[in-house]
C-alpha cells in the first residue's frame, strides 16, 4: 500500500465514523476542519510543482461562495446563473475560434471527454476510438463506460500523435479521433490540422483541458511555433473540445466545459426531465454546481485577454528559467517546453520524487521516457523555484 493510503487508513482508524446523535459546537467543527486543512499541502506555498491545479483567483472564490446554493441542473430556478453559464461558454468559444459558441459547463475534462465520446458514438453509430498514447487516462474511463473499442496509436519523435499510425488505423468503424492540445505529461500539442486533413467524416475531439487557457495567449504573444498552430475550432473537422477553467483559467474546482460546433446533433444526450423547470436535461450530471460557473465568469471577465496574457507570459518565463537551472544540473528537457510543463530526463525519477517529498516538495514524474516532471502554475513563484532547486541539487547527489 502506498504511503498516502496507509496514512489515510491510520487517520481514519479509531475515529467515530458514525454520525453523532447530538451535534458538536461550531468551534469543535472549526477545530476539526483546521486540523484537516493543516494536513493538506497549501497550493499557494508554491511547493506543489507537479499538479495542474491552480490557486483560484480571489474574485473567483468570492463569486463561487455567492452562488453556492443554486443548482444549474434545474435552470428555470436560476436563470441568472444560466445567463452566466452562457456568457462563460461564449467567452470560451471566442478563445478557441468557435463561431456561435455552444456547450455546457461541467465538472471537468473527464466529464467533457466522456460526454464528447457519447455524442460521437450516438452520431456515428460506430465503435472505434482512436487516441494517442499521450492521452489523459480519462479516455479509458469513457471507452470502458461506453463499451467502445480502443485504438491506441503511437507518437512521433516529438511525442505528438503519429500521423502514420493514424493513417493505418482509419477505417469505416471509427467513431472519433481523440486528440490533445496540451498533453498532461509533456504539454505538447497534437498535429490537429493535419489530422483534420486526413479524416473525412470522423468527428475530432480536442482535449484542451490544460492548453485551452495557454495556447491562445502563446499564439497572441508569438511564442507558439508554427507547427503547433491549427489546434482549435479553426480546423473545420474539430467538432468538440474539452477546456478546463479550473486549471490555467484560475477558476474554482469544479470548472470544466464541453464546447460543441453548432450543427452537431445536440439532442444526442438529452433526456426528458418533466418534473424540473426545463423539460430536457442535456448534461451527464443532474445537479450542477453554480458556484464554479460564477467563479469562472468572474475571473474571466475580470482578467480579460490581457490579464491571461500576463499570467501565461509569467509562467512561461518561469519555465524558461527552470529549464536553464536544470540544465546547469545536467538535466536535459525531454522536449523543449511548449507550455508551462517541463520534463527532464532522469534515470531514477521515483527516488528523486520520494526524497523531494521528504523535503516538502511535490514534483511529478513520467515513465516513458523516465523523467522528472514540473508543472509551473501561476502560484509557483521564483523564490519557491530557487529553494526547490537547492534541495534538488542535494537530492541528486544522493540518488
Ligand atoms: N485531460 C487532460 C489533458 C488532463 O491533463 C486532465 C487532468 C484531464 C483531461 C482530466 O481533467 P479533470 O481531472 O479535471 O477531470 N490532468 C490532471 C491530472 O490527472 C488533473 C489533476 C491535476 C487532478 C492535479 C488532480 C490534481 O491534484 O494529473
Amino acid at each position: 500500500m502506498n504511503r498516502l493510503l496507509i496514512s489515510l487508513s491510520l487517520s481514519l482508524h479509531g475515529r467515530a465514523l458514525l454520525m453523532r446523535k447530538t451535534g458538536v459546537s461550531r468551534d469543535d467543527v472549526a477545530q476539526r476542519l483546521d486540523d484537516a486543512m493543516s494536513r493538506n499541502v497549501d497550493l499557494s506555498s508554491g511547493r506543489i510543482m507537479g499538479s495542474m491545479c491552480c490557486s483560484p483567483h480571489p474574485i473567483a472564490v468570492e463569486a463561487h461562495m455567492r452562488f453556492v446554493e443554486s443548482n444549474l441542473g434545474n435552470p428555470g430556478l436560476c436563470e441568472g446563473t444560466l445567463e452566466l453559464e452562457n456568457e462563460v461558454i461564449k467567452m470560451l468559444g471566442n478563445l478557441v475560434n468557435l463561431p456561435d459558441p455552444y456547450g455546457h459547463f461541467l465538472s471537468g475534462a473527464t466529464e467533457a471527454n466522456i460526454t464528447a465520446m457519447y455524442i460521437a458514438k450516438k452520431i456515428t453509430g460506430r465503435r472505434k476510438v482512436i487516441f494517442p498514447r499521450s492521452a489523459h487516462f480519462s479516455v479509458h474511463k469513457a471507452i470502458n463506460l461506453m463499451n467502445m473499442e480502443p485504438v491506441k496509436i503511437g507518437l512521433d519523435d516529438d511525442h505528438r500523435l503519429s500521423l502514420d499510425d493514424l493513417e493505418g488505423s482509419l477505417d469505416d468503424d471509427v467513431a472519433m479521433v481523440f486528440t490533445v492540445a496540451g498533453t498532461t505529461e509533456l504539454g505538447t500539442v497534437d498535429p490537429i490540422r493535419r489530422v483534420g486533413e486526413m479524416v473525412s467524416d470522423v468527428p475530432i475531439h480536442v482535449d484542451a483541458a490544460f492548453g485551452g487557457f495557454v495556447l491562445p495567449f502563446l499564439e497572441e504573444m508569438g511564442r507558439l511555433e508554427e507547427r503547433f498552430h491549427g489546434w482549435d475550432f479553426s480546423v473545420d473537422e474539430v467538432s468538440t473540445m474539452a477546456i478546463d477553467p479550473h486549471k490555467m483559467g484560475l477558476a474554482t474546482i469544479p470548472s470544466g466545459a464541453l464546447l460543441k460546433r453548432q450543427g452537431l446533433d445536440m439532442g444526442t444526450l438529452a433526456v426528458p426531465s418533466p418534473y424540473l423547470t426545463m423539460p430536457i436535461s442535456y448534461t451527464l450530471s443532474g445537479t450542477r454546481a453554480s458556484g464554479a460557473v460564477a467563479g469562472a465568469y468572474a475571473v474571466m471577465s475580470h482578467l480579460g485577454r490581457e490579464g491571461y496574457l500576463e499570467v501565461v507570459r509569467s509562467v512561461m518565463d518561469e519555465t524558461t528559467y527552470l529549464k536553464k537551472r536544470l540544465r546547469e544540473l545536467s538535466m536535459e528537457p525531454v522536449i523543449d517546453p511548449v507550455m508551462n510543463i517541463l520534463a527532464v530526463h532522469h534515470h531514477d525519477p521515483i527516488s528523486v520524487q520520494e526524497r523531494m517529498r521528504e523535503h516538502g516538495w511535490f514534483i511529478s514524474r513520467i515513465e516513458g521516457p523516465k523523467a522528472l516532471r514540473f508543472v509551473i502554475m501561476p502560484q509557483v513563484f521564483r523564490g519557491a523555484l530557487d529553494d526547490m532547486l537547492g534541495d534538488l541539487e542535494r537530492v541528486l547527489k544522493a540518488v
Side-chain angles (χ1 to χ4, degrees), residues 304-368:
R305 290 189 80 99
E306 280 176 12
Y308 283 110
L309 203 73
E310 274 320 303
V311 170
V312 172
R313 192 191 310 281
S314 161
V315 292
M316 290 311 294
D317 288 349
E318 295 312 303
T319 307
T320 305
Y321 173 75
L322 182 61
K323 181 178 80 172
K324 175 174 153 286
R325 294 283 314 268
L326 290 172
R327 272 207 163 123
E328 287 163 12
L329 297 175
S330 306
M331 303 222 281
E332 284 301 314
V334 175
I335 60 164
D336 202 27
V338 182
M339 302 192 219
N340 45 328
I341 299 178
L342 171 63
V344 288
H345 292 284
H346 191 277
H347 64 280
D348 187 4
I350 299 185
S351 300
V352 176
Q353 191 188 25
E354 278 181 3
R355 284 173 189 240
M356 286 300 279
R357 199 182 161 110
E358 284 159 16
H359 285 82
W361 298 107
F362 299 86
I363 60 176
S364 162
R365 66 167 199 274
I366 60 176
E367 292 298 329

Side-chain angles (χ1 to χ4, degrees), residues 107-114 138 205 207 209 242-244 246-247 255-257:
S107 61
T110 300
E111 187 183 348
N113 290 341
I114 291 171
S138 52
H205 174 65
D207 181 350
I243 176 168
D244 275 357
H246 68 203
K247 294 190 170 77
S255 294

Side-chain angles (χ1 to χ4, degrees), residues 2 23 25 28 55 70 94 137 145 153 196-197 262 264 280 282 285 288 297 302 316 392:
N2 81 24
S25 69
D28 285 349
S55 277
S70 76
N94 179 249
F137 54 76
L145 272 170
I153 61 172
E197 286 160 8
Q262 284 284 17
L264 207 66
I280 291 181
Y282 288 100
S285 300
R288 289 194 296 135
Y297 172 81
H302 179 64
M316 290 311 294
L392 182 63

